[in-house]
Amino acid sequence: LHIFEQYTSYHMILKVCGTAVQLSTILKMKAISTPTRMLSMVVIAFVLINTSLSFPCPSTMARTGRKIPVLVVSRLHQTASFDFSAPSEWETFYQTTSEVVEWHNSIPLERIASYVPGNAKVLLVGCGNSRLPATILASCQDPQVVLLDSSPTCLEQLKGIYGSSVENVCGNAVDLDSLFPDESFDMIIDKGLSDAIFCSEGWDSTIQKLFEGATKVLKQNGKYLLISYKLPKSTKSFLVEEAECGLEWEFDLPKDSNDRVGVSLATRDRLSRHNPF
């Protein structure tokens, strides 16, 4: 639902499906000549392929410098069914490559790091092998950086890069309250993790658990920085109301958001009951 609302309309989906069904019916008609059948098959293939490519996958690669879906440039889509929400899929991916996956490369890492206050303890949830930790260490004042990912292989790669300058924790981001003590962090940065969760069925309960845990491990007035594909109004409303757990949201900050990617900020314990969506 999240991806469909963001990139297309239900009317277009129904129109495409209806066209495919009509062409499939033509193929079953015995009176249709062989050349017509072949032409119809080509049209069906074109419609379905064009439709599938019109839905971007949840990530883009930094090295391209262009907004090209990962399915075109990365090993992630060597199989047609890569599940972005499954930790086991990412572990397999990192076992086969050290290729950097930089989600939302249209937002400069320096701009993300600029939100980190001085002397802050920062948690990067679902950190992957992004170069964001290096940018934070280089540009922020005395940060304490904690990297959380479910892939042991990914964390081993990061250990080789950063050594003891960061803390590595292996675990699932939906279990924050069991991984860290209450009020441990000044800021949590989520760059692409929520996008991956939105790819799963029943994502609402998982997202709710993520933000409930985040609220517990954030300090008073701590910040949750979310870099994600632009959220539809229904998802924003869900975060404000149904997953409300002590976070006050400011969505799509105009200073850094663009037409595809939103930079949103939530503050702990400055709760607003007003839902503008």
Side-chain angles (χ1 to χ4, degrees), residues 122-144:
V122 185
L123 173 64
L124 276 62
V125 289
C127 61
N129 58 8
S130 165
R131 295 297 182 246
L132 180 58
T135 305
I136 293 174
L137 291 170
S139 60
C140 299
Q141 179 183 353
D142 299 323
Q144 299 178 57

Side-chain angles (χ1 to χ4, degrees), residues 157-264:
Q157 295 175 9
L158 297 177
K159 186 177 180 181
I161 297 172
Y162 301 109
S164 60
S165 60
V166 302
E167 179 184 349
N168 297 319
V169 178
C170 188
N172 196 315
V174 300
D175 299 321
L176 290 178
D177 52 347
S178 62
L179 293 170
F180 304 103
D182 289 354
E183 300 191 6
S184 295
F185 300 101
D186 300 287
M187 174 168 279
I188 295 175
I189 300 178
D190 173 346
K191 188 167 85 78
L193 172 65
S194 288
D195 285 309
I197 294 175
F198 285 134
C199 291
S200 65
E201 295 183 10
W203 57 263
D204 50 348
S205 59
T206 307
I207 284 290
Q208 182 167 356
K209 190 174 181 183
L210 169 65
F211 288 118
E212 285 176 348
T215 303
K216 292 179 181 179
V217 302
L218 279 172
K219 297 178 183 179
Q220 295 287 330
N221 295 316
K223 309 289 186 180
Y224 193 103
L225 184 63
L226 173 64
I227 299 94
S228 68
Y229 279 110
K230 283 280 187 76
L231 301 175
K233 288 184 178 180
S234 59
T235 304
K236 292 177 181 177
S237 182
F238 174 83
L239 294 180
V240 170
E241 288 187 347
E242 313 230 4
E244 194 170 75
C245 48
L247 295 175
E248 180 183 7
W249 283 97
E250 298 175 79
F251 292 108
D252 303 330
L253 299 175
K255 184 177 180 180
D256 292 304
S257 301
N258 57 45
D259 59 341
R260 293 187 68 194
V261 180
V263 177
S264 302

Side-chain angles (χ1 to χ4, degrees), residues 63-127:
R63 73 174 192 276
T64 65
R66 298 167 54 198
K67 297 176 182 178
I68 301 177
V70 172
L71 65 88
V72 177
V73 297
S74 174
R75 298 185 189 184
L76 295 180
H77 278 271
Q78 285 183 347
T79 60
S81 57
F82 189 93
D83 184 354
F84 287 88
S85 65
S88 59
E89 296 265 19
W90 287 105
E91 171 62 9
T92 300
F93 171 73
Y94 289 119
Q95 287 176 353
T96 58
T97 183
S98 58
E99 178 183 19
V100 174
V101 180
E102 199 70 66
W103 291 53
H104 305 311
N105 62 305
S106 63
I107 309 297
L109 298 180
E110 292 77 12
R111 289 302 311 151
I112 299 173
S114 70
Y115 287 89
V116 178
N119 303 297
K121 188 172 184 180
V122 185
L123 173 64
L124 276 62
V125 289
C127 61

